[in-house]
Amino acid sequence: MRIQFRMPSVAVLAALAVTAMIAVGLPASTTAASLTASGSATTSAGMGSWCSVPNPSVSGNVYSLSDFTEIQAPESTTDTGAAKTTVRMLVLPVVNDGSFDPVEPLPAQVGGVDNQLGVRLWSCTPGMSSTQSIKLTAWRGSYTATAASAWVWDVAPTSVSFAQARLNAGANLAINGATTTTTRPGTEVRDAHRGINNLGGQSGANADPVTMRYSWMLTNGRTKNADFTNDPACASKTCHVDGGAGVTNYNNVFSGVDTAAASNAVFQNSTTYLAEKYYSGAGTWPSTTTTTTQLQCSSQTRERIWFWYTDWSAWSAWTDATGTACPANTDLRQYRSQTVPRTVTVDSVPTVTPTVIAPKGSNTNDALLRDTTGTLIQYVVLEWWGTGTPPADLEVEVFVK
């Protein structure tokens, strides 16, 4: 843990602080007002107040905002000379391999289900930037046929840990189109996260591909003091749900202190946001199937030649009736009816479901990267932007519950 002390009188208590730290088993060697340890401290031993956050060098699934990669994010899909936006971003392939286990147990009020993806924001700074912005999203992959050369890594995953892996997100052009065999995954999710890439766009009766691949964690609509399950609206198959505008003002989403009351997302100096989505399976729109009965009719006819009738023809094939009864019989046509069971499937209004990542099991890294269900891998994008650099104690922990 990185531990920050807020001492009542540094000049008077410096020596006592060292003594107290030794007494409670904390490292006594400090630099300025912070020190680093792999454990967590839970008592100030009468020496004033302090605050601890995880140590990224010990916990590979913890990422300090000040260490995010700075990229020039393109705004154009065709012009390499077009304006670019400076952002700090990490694109992480998240699997349930143990390297994304929570660094400490999640508080009870967080809720959620086993193996659910989520993020926890850690901080010790009491007053944070009100102008910087943050956005954290997750995306189902669609890379079954992606060429090996399209996988461009800053740090490739190992056979034992994905937490250290980083997809490269620095391509000079933005992407706005359906996934192809040459699409770079890091670039595609970068631009989908930023709202530039519509992944081919909604077409006809098909569901919007962005909605079918997107899971929200922290974006506009969620804060530490509001209901942290506040979800984007989606009532029909044509709805478009994406990463939104992000959240401006860190004080609205980080706890920032070690004395905050446990409520909603907040527990002491951390806040937790769980991943949720509207799609199911490999991007399937929810539907409702019912069994009902269908009236069918069959008819036979005969001709009238002057004063007499010919014989009845053979019965026609059964056809679905358009109403609740077959037509009335006449001299030249008569009907028979039957009812048959009929299964009817209709699109339904989607319900929010947790984004769950199953244990890795015996799957190879290649199989995990090419999963299209979102149940073996989620591509998580962490981004902040704005003037200045956040303090080192502002961190994002990505976990599988």
Side-chain angles (χ1 to χ4, degrees):
M1 308 292 283
R2 181 184 290 112
I3 305 169
Q4 183 182 76
F5 286 81
R6 297 192 291 276
M7 306 300 296
S9 175
V10 175
V12 175
L13 298 177
L16 292 177
V18 173
T19 304
M21 285 187 286
I22 295 173
V24 297
L26 297 175
S29 175
T30 67
T31 301
S34 63
L35 54 83
T36 304
S38 60
S40 60
T42 56
T43 175
S44 62
M47 292 306 302
S49 61
W50 46 257
C51 177
S52 63
V53 297
N55 184 348
S57 66
V58 175
S59 302
N61 61 323
V62 176
Y63 312 92
S64 175
L65 267 64
S66 59
D67 292 335
F68 281 22
T69 302
E70 179 178 307
I71 65 171
Q72 298 300 307
E75 304 291 340
S76 173
T77 61
T78 59
D79 182 5
T80 57
K84 295 179 173 62
T85 301
T86 301
V87 299
R88 284 78 170 178
M89 178 182 289
L90 297 178
V91 180
L92 313 173
V94 178
V95 302
N96 192 350
D97 64 351
S99 66
F100 288 97
D101 288 351
V103 297
E104 63 180 50
L106 295 169
Q109 79 268 11
V110 168
V113 300
D114 288 345
N115 300 320
Q116 187 170 2
L117 174 67
V119 289
R120 180 159 42 179
L121 276 57
W122 295 89
S123 58
C124 284
T125 302
M128 293 161 282
S129 172
S130 61
T131 59
Q132 292 173 350
S133 301
I134 187 169
K135 179 164 61 172
L136 314 174
T137 66
W139 301 85
R140 179 177 61 84
S142 184
Y143 308 122
T144 300
T146 296
S149 59
W151 297 95
V152 182
W153 298 96
D154 289 335
V155 181
T158 68
S159 60
V160 295
S161 174
F162 268 70
Q164 302 291 342
R166 310 280 192 279
L167 274 164
N168 182 278
N172 287 329
L173 287 173
I175 292 178
N176 183 17
T179 308
T180 69
T181 57
T182 60
T183 298
R184 287 176 53 171
T187 305
E188 180 177 67
V189 296
R190 174 200 71 187
D191 296 331
H193 165 93
R194 299 189 66 233
I196 293 174
N197 189 356
N198 288 322
L199 301 172
Q202 194 272 335
S203 176
N206 298 318
D208 190 294
V210 174
T211 308
M212 292 294 94
R213 289 179 61 180
Y214 170 58
S215 293
W216 55 90
M217 291 186 292
L218 180 58
T219 185
N220 52 306
R222 284 188 165 184
T223 72
K224 67 179 181 181
N225 295 320
D227 180 3
F228 65 94
T229 60
N230 187 25
D231 301 313
C234 182
S236 70
K237 200 169 185 177
T238 58
C239 78
H240 179 87
V241 180
D242 63 17
V247 178
T248 299
N249 191 342
Y250 290 161
N251 298 286
N252 290 334
V253 291
F254 285 86
S255 173
V257 294
D258 61 350
T259 56
S263 61
N264 295 318
V266 177
F267 181 74
Q268 295 182 352
N269 65 309
S270 69
T271 54
T272 303
Y273 305 90
L274 298 176
E276 296 174 316
K277 57 184 175 59
Y278 277 120
Y279 68 85
S280 60
T284 302
W285 188 264
S287 60
T288 301
T289 300
T290 58
T291 300
T292 185
T293 57
Q294 173 69 54
L295 176 69
Q296 292 184 326
C297 303
S298 178
S299 66
Q300 59 178 187
T301 61
R302 63 178 177 176
E303 294 182 2
R304 182 175 183 180
I305 303 176
W306 295 102
F307 298 105
W308 62 88
Y309 297 95
T310 62
D311 290 336
W312 290 101
S313 66
W315 287 100
S316 65
W318 292 104
T319 58
D320 293 344
T322 56
T324 59
C326 296
N329 292 333
T330 66
D331 289 342
L332 299 179
R333 186 180 295 272
Q334 62 182 5
Y335 294 87
R336 61 180 176 176
S337 64
Q338 68 174 8
T339 56
V340 295
R342 178 64 54 85
T343 299
V344 179
T345 300
V346 296
D347 294 334
S348 59
V349 175
T351 57
V352 173
T353 57
T355 301
V356 172
I357 305 178
K360 172 185 175 182
S362 60
N363 287 290
T364 65
N365 282 10
D366 188 66
L368 294 168
L369 292 170
R370 297 181 186 277
D371 167 59
T372 61
T373 67
T375 61
L376 292 178
I377 190 169
Q378 285 283 323
Y379 293 89
V380 171
V381 184
L382 313 179
E383 179 193 15
W384 72 266
W385 64 96
T387 302
T389 302
D393 61 85
L394 268 61
E395 301 172 342
V396 178
E397 173 194 356
V398 180
F399 64 82
V400 180
K401 186 173 182 293

